[in-house]
């Protein structure tokens, strides 16, 4: 009763101030203290269990009906061929099921729903409309430029530039802007993700954070959600400068698998540390120099729905070809530089 009363008073106070209804600190502490990692590991174990062949069509058919899975797009539409839930979640598609828009600068890396997109010109950027997160907390300390540009430029940037400006490494920084695009993968979506453009990942950072839900409703309720959750961030460059690709973990995501990074291990057991949330802790890996990804190239997979966050540098005339809340599929246009070629 006391918790319900506090919840009501908190929401009423936010409404009176004209602010969105977000979680209070005590609500955040309670939510983060739930054994979500243990539950996610149990779910991962369950999803890997082999199902008897006769019941596979029933289980997978029920799941497909519940979450709107289009099994006709799968490489194998015979439900008996999937030995476990994990295999069904990470199913591959027919070769002609997704077409890559080669005229677009950046294409969608996954199937999902667009939560937010736009310029990232401040240290606090929006995860959904009206709710923000810290860019520095999300990407971590800006010390990767030693791998991307010379150290003299790096020192000058750290002394004279904001965090947003310091992560740029285009030669014409005054003519470029940082942009972001956030795409949420629902449980019924295709769970593999692809490279959105031609780029070179240089380093990987694995943040061992929480495993909170990343559903749109939770993203509207928890400020800084993406900074709290476990995530694998790949930082590098493309033809217009800085480029990062982040796969964000979530509740019941058994694991995040990246095919070019066999050392990445997510959703690991870290003990029952209730009330202790080391969301800023990460390990860093320098990738091989010859690591390059082509547009549409397969990168990895989620073992359940989650979120992809793109943060990249591009010229100021970059134009998004999106609407907030729209559904999008792998290979479809996200944006381009040519305003006259804004339609597919």
């Amino acid at each position: 009763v006391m918790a319900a009363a506090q919840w009501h008073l908190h929401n009423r106070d936010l409404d009176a101030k004209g602010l969105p209804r977000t979680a209070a600190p005590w609500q955040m502490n309670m939510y983060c203290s739930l054994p979500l990692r243990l539950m996610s590991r149990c779910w991962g174990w369950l999803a890997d269990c082999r199902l008897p062949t006769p019941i596979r069509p029933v289980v997978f058919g029920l799941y497909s009906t519940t979450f709107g899975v289009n099994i006709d797009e799968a490489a194998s539409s015979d439900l008996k061929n999937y030995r476990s839930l994990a295999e069904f979640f990470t199913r591959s598609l027919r070769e002609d099921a997704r077409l890559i828009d080669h005229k677009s600068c950046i294409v969608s890396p996954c199937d999902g729903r667009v939560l937010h997109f736009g310029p990232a010109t401040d240290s606090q950027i929006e995860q959904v409309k009206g709710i923000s997160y810290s860019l520095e907390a999300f990407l971590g300390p800006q010390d990767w430029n030693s791998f991307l540009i010379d150290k003299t430029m790096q020192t000058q940037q750290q002394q004279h530039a904001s965090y947003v400006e310091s992560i740029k490494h285009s030669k014409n920084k005054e003519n470029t802007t940082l942009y972001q695009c956030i795409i949420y993968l629902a449980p019924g979506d295709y769970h593999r993700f692809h490279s959105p453009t031609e780029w070179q990942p240089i380093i990987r950072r694995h943040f061992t954070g929480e495993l909170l839900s990343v559903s749109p409703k939770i993203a509207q309720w928890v400020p800084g959600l993406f900074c709290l959750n476990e995530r694998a961030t790949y930082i590098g460059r493309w033809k217009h400068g800085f480029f990062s690709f982040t796969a964000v973990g979530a509740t019941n995501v058994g694991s995040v698998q990246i095919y070019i990074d066999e050392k990445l291990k997510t959703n690991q057991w870290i003990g029952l540390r209730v009330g202790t949330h080391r969301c800023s802790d990460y390990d860093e890996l320098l990738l091989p120099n010859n690591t390059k990804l082509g547009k549409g190239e397969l990168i990895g997979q989620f073992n359940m729905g989650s979120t992809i966050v793109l943060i990249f540098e591009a010229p100021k005339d970059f134009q998004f070809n999106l609407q907030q809340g729209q559904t999008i599929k792998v290979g479809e246009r996200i944006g381009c530089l040519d305003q006259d070629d804004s339609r597919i």
Side-chain angles (χ1 to χ4, degrees):
V1 172
M2 291 179 62
Q6 287 287 344
W7 193 301
H8 175 72
L9 291 173
H10 174 68
N11 287 341
R12 190 175 67 176
D13 184 50
L14 292 175
D15 292 341
K17 295 178 180 179
L19 299 174
R21 291 188 174 186
T22 56
W26 66 271
Q27 293 171 326
M28 284 290 302
N29 288 335
M30 291 182 64
Y31 185 27
C32 291
S33 296
L34 296 175
L36 299 177
R37 184 171 293 274
L38 176 61
M39 184 171 67
S40 297
R41 286 183 61 82
C42 291
W43 174 254
W45 173 83
L46 180 64
D48 283 332
C49 290
R50 187 164 184 164
L51 296 176
T53 303
I55 71 169
R56 292 175 188 174
V58 177
V59 174
F60 300 144
L62 179 61
Y63 183 92
S64 300
T65 302
T66 303
F67 295 107
V69 176
N70 185 359
I71 194 62
D72 293 333
E73 294 181 333
S76 174
S77 58
D78 186 355
L79 298 179
K80 292 183 179 180
N81 291 336
Y82 301 100
R83 295 173 294 181
S84 65
L85 283 169
E87 282 194 8
F88 183 69
F89 295 150
T90 58
R91 62 194 176 277
S92 60
L93 300 182
R94 300 192 322 266
E95 291 185 0
D96 60 346
R98 299 290 182 271
L99 300 178
I100 307 300
D101 184 356
H102 292 287
K103 293 183 178 180
S104 177
C105 296
I106 297 182
V107 300
S108 176
C110 59
D111 288 12
R113 174 184 170 188
V114 179
L115 290 186
H116 196 74
F117 64 92
T121 56
D122 198 359
S123 59
Q124 292 285 331
I125 55 179
E126 290 188 324
Q127 62 189 32
V128 293
K129 189 172 179 60
I131 309 298
S132 63
Y133 67 99
S134 168
L135 182 60
E136 184 172 3
F138 181 73
L139 294 177
Q142 188 276 343
D143 53 13
W144 58 74
N145 273 354
S146 59
F147 304 113
L148 304 181
I149 58 179
D150 65 70
K151 294 184 178 180
T152 302
M153 291 179 62
Q154 179 187 2
T155 303
Q156 293 174 348
Q157 289 172 346
Q158 291 175 340
Q159 292 177 350
H160 304 292
S162 65
Y163 184 84
V164 172
E165 290 298 318
S166 69
I167 66 177
K168 296 181 182 180
H169 59 270
S170 171
K171 294 182 179 179
N172 300 314
K173 293 185 179 182
E174 64 278 0
N175 297 322
T176 63
T177 299
L178 278 185
Y179 297 91
Q180 70 157 339
C181 182
I182 303 172
I183 303 176
Y184 166 70
L185 291 78
D189 288 325
Y190 169 58
H191 289 87
R192 299 188 180 191
F193 44 88
H194 300 245
S195 174
T197 189
E198 295 181 2
W199 67 295
Q200 181 182 9
I202 306 296
I203 64 171
R204 180 263 288 162
R205 285 179 171 175
H206 174 214
F207 294 81
T208 53
E210 306 291 343
L211 287 175
L212 309 179
S213 171
V214 292
S215 69
K217 289 185 178 180
I218 297 298
Q220 292 173 349
W221 185 60
V222 178
L225 173 63
F226 302 138
C227 301
L228 296 174
N229 268 16
E230 181 174 16
R231 58 198 181 277
T233 298
Y234 292 83
I235 297 170
R237 56 180 169 235
W238 71 317
K239 61 182 178 181
H240 298 298
F242 174 84
F243 195 95
S244 73
F245 183 107
T246 302
V248 182
T251 306
N252 288 343
V253 175
S255 65
V256 179
Q257 182 180 358
I258 306 295
Y259 302 141
I260 62 171
D261 186 3
E262 295 181 355
K263 294 183 179 180
L264 177 67
K265 304 296 181 184
T266 63
N267 194 8
Q268 297 296 296
W269 178 245
I270 57 176
L272 294 173
R273 301 184 301 176
V274 177
T276 303
H277 313 293
R278 300 178 180 179
C279 303
S280 60
D281 292 353
Y282 65 89
D283 63 80
E284 187 171 284
L285 175 69
L286 181 63
L287 300 174
N289 291 332
N290 61 350
T291 304
K292 294 184 179 180
L293 296 171
K295 185 188 295 183
E297 185 176 343
L298 186 61
I299 295 179
Q301 64 188 35
F302 291 113
N303 287 340
M304 195 62 176
S306 196
T307 299
I308 295 291
V309 179
L310 304 178
I311 298 176
F312 56 92
E313 181 181 2
K316 292 184 177 180
D317 61 347
F318 179 85
Q319 297 288 325
F320 281 100
N321 190 50
L322 299 172
Q323 292 182 351
Q324 190 166 317
Q326 81 170 74
T327 56
I328 194 168
K329 295 188 176 184
V330 171
E332 292 183 350
R333 173 170 302 199
I334 283 182
C336 202
L337 298 176
D338 188 0
Q339 299 181 11
D340 295 332
D341 188 28
S342 60
R343 294 176 297 175
I344 298 177

